[in-house]
Amino acid sequence: LAVSARETCSELVFLRFRRVRRATREEAPKRTAGQALGLSFATAMGRSASNAAEVAKGAEVAKGRDFFFSATDEPHVTRRGEILKAHPEIKSLMGPEWRTKYIVAGTVSLQIFMAWLTLDWSLPTFLAALYVVGATANHSLFLAVHELAHNLGAKSIKNNKLISLMANFPIAIPYSINFKPYHMEHHRYQGQEGVDTDIPTRIEGFLISDSACCYADHTCRKALFMFFQIFAYALRPMMLKPSLVPFDGWMLLNYVTQFSFDGLMMYLFGPKVMLYFLGSTFFAGSIHPTAGHFIAEHYVVEGNTETYSYYGPLNILAYNVGYHNEHHDFPNIAWSNLPKVRKIAPEYYDKLPQCGSWWGILMRYIFDDNISPYSRMKRAKKAE
């Protein structure tokens, strides 16, 4: 019976794949092998054949090795005004969330405990703990810093910065103060060329896509980029706009407190403890389920839509950052109230394209030949 079940399952999978491939050939007989495989992958990910074809068609610009370009303003300001006019009660949701600081303190405590607990573990067990617990916890702290950059963890700017310094501790590298100016630019000038440093550079596009010789080469390069994605995410803003963050007292305090924490951990537990903290940070921004939001939020994968929300269970660990359309529409509403925005104004959000899986979008980015660093929406920089 077990053998028969396996054979039946295999036959169903084969028939499913054959139907997907047949639909691909019928809808796009002139596509390259890589484009057809990307369409098959999009269909297999749960989209209808027509939606998958629309995705592939919309990504032709990216396949032509250029970004998407928009002549209009980013959509969030306009939608915000419409929603507030239709649902003025949303204003009552604005403001900080008092629980954030306690969640941050608990996550930091967990990471210190795990760093001590795993000191003598075997390498396989250590790596498993690093990926499952450490990376998940540190990614949660990344997103706590994101909340605090919007001043949504306390009433005063000062207290938000102080909490962000604490959230920074297990990340091992000082960045919480530097993050805010770049992220605020991303919100104010979404997609504006030379301003929004969240968008990959043309150098990244050349190294990953333009110089790839075939589908397999392109796929391997995208997988390699995703594995080391944390470096691009951290270094790109500082390399493109180093003058945006002046060295001031807060930055100095960030460096002093962070390196003091690192030194204290090494004094108490030995230098090996830093392997846990740094490894957690690396895998938190690598091929990890929670890191899927880096791709899910703004990569153009359906038509010309430039922001996507994810409503799945990983939001519990990620301060509801998956509610990304809601967040960009109302950046002064804390994580705990973002689901209420969608509940109050479903007519504005339920019809928008959504991301069904952070892990799924990571895999799609790697294996779908139509998606690349160029799959981002740009718009001309506005005159000052």
Side-chain angles (χ1 to χ4, degrees):
L1 288 174
V3 172
S4 177
R6 285 198 299 269
E7 290 175 350
T8 302
C9 182
S10 298
E11 184 177 353
L12 289 173
V13 171
F14 172 75
L15 289 174
R16 169 65 174 163
F17 182 74
R18 189 169 64 180
R19 285 197 296 270
V20 169
R21 296 295 290 166
R22 185 184 300 119
T24 300
R25 288 195 299 270
E26 290 173 356
E27 293 183 25
K30 295 183 180 179
R31 282 198 176 93
T32 65
Q35 289 171 303
L37 202 97
L39 177 57
S40 298
F41 191 87
T43 307
M45 283 295 292
R47 300 180 182 277
S48 66
S50 59
N51 281 344
E54 182 184 348
V55 170
K57 182 179 179 182
E60 286 298 323
V61 178
K63 185 64 182 174
R65 304 304 181 226
D66 204 353
F67 293 96
F68 291 81
F69 284 90
S70 174
T72 63
D73 290 337
E74 54 91 1
H76 302 290
V77 173
T78 301
R79 188 162 58 233
R80 181 187 311 137
E82 293 177 0
I83 292 176
L84 285 175
K85 185 176 180 180
H87 302 283
E89 65 271 25
I90 281 182
K91 292 180 181 178
S92 66
L93 303 178
M94 298 176 182
E97 169 54 64
W98 62 272
R99 291 173 292 181
T100 298
K101 56 182 173 290
Y102 298 111
I103 298 172
V104 167
T107 309
V108 171
S109 300
L110 170 66
Q111 284 294 75
I112 294 172
F113 171 74
M114 287 298 298
W116 164 78
L117 185 66
T118 59
L119 283 173
D120 298 321
W121 287 13
S122 65
L123 183 60
T125 311
F126 175 76
L127 290 175
L130 201 63
Y131 189 85
V132 175
V133 180
T136 304
N138 268 17
H139 203 101
S140 180
L141 291 171
F142 289 168
L143 296 170
V145 170
H146 166 259
E147 279 287 302
L148 295 160
H150 285 281
N151 298 320
L152 293 174
K155 292 182 179 180
S156 70
I157 295 176
K158 174 186 174 182
N159 287 342
N160 277 285
K161 288 183 175 181
L162 290 173
I163 300 169
S164 76
L165 295 179
M166 176 175 62
N168 200 150
F169 286 159
I171 295 169
I173 300 169
Y175 96 103
S176 63
I177 300 300
N178 289 9
F179 172 78
K180 181 174 181 175
Y182 294 112
H183 187 67
M184 293 301 102
E185 294 267 286
H186 166 62
H187 273 269
R188 295 189 192 103
Y189 310 108
Q190 180 177 315
Q192 287 193 27
E193 197 160 17
V195 182
D196 184 0
T197 58
D198 189 63
I199 296 176
T201 63
R202 289 190 180 274
I203 294 175
E204 291 170 73
F206 173 80
L207 293 175
I208 296 168
S209 297
D210 290 342
S211 57
C213 63
C214 63
Y215 169 76
D217 184 19
H218 193 209
T219 299
C220 289
R221 292 184 189 214
K222 288 193 290 181
L224 190 65
F225 172 79
M226 288 307 305
F227 189 70
F228 293 104
Q229 176 188 206
I230 188 68
F231 295 107
Y233 191 79
L235 298 176
R236 186 193 303 131
M238 293 186 291
M239 295 179 68
L240 293 179
K241 302 184 74 175
S243 61
L244 186 61
V245 184
F247 190 86
D248 61 4
W250 280 107
M251 186 185 293
L252 177 62
L253 183 61
N254 192 187
Y255 277 74
V256 169
T257 55
Q258 184 59 55
F259 291 136
S260 296
F261 173 83
D262 294 346
L264 177 63
M265 291 295 101
M266 287 188 285
Y267 174 78
L268 293 175
F269 307 121
K272 188 180 176 182
V273 74
M274 295 307 296
L275 291 177
Y276 180 85
F277 292 128
L278 290 170
S280 295
T281 297
F282 174 79
F283 283 115
S286 185
I287 301 178
H288 188 274
T290 56
H293 80 88
F294 289 134
I295 302 297
E297 290 168 356
H298 296 295
Y299 274 73
V300 180
V301 296
E302 188 158 335
N304 291 311
T305 303
E306 58 184 287
T307 306
Y308 301 79
S309 286
Y310 158 79
Y311 300 121
L314 289 179
N315 277 305
I316 297 172
L317 304 171
Y319 291 89
N320 283 331
V321 75
Y323 288 77
H324 215 65
N325 270 300
E326 293 84 347
H327 169 63
H328 269 265
D329 289 352
F330 299 99
N332 54 349
I333 291 180
W335 60 271
S336 54
N337 283 329
L338 289 177
K340 297 177 185 177
V341 173
R342 184 192 180 201
K343 186 175 181 180
I344 291 172
E347 69 274 21
Y348 287 94
Y349 296 109
D350 290 352
K351 64 184 179 181
L352 296 175
Q354 301 170 10
C355 172
S357 165
W358 279 346
W359 180 255
I361 197 65
L362 276 179
M363 294 300 101
R364 188 173 168 204
Y365 176 83
I366 293 171
F367 292 105
D368 188 338
D369 203 39
N370 290 312
I371 303 176
S372 74
Y374 290 110
S375 301
R376 291 294 300 265
M377 185 67 71
K378 279 190 172 186
R379 45 184 49 86
K381 180 180 179 181
K382 288 185 177 181
E384 296 292 339

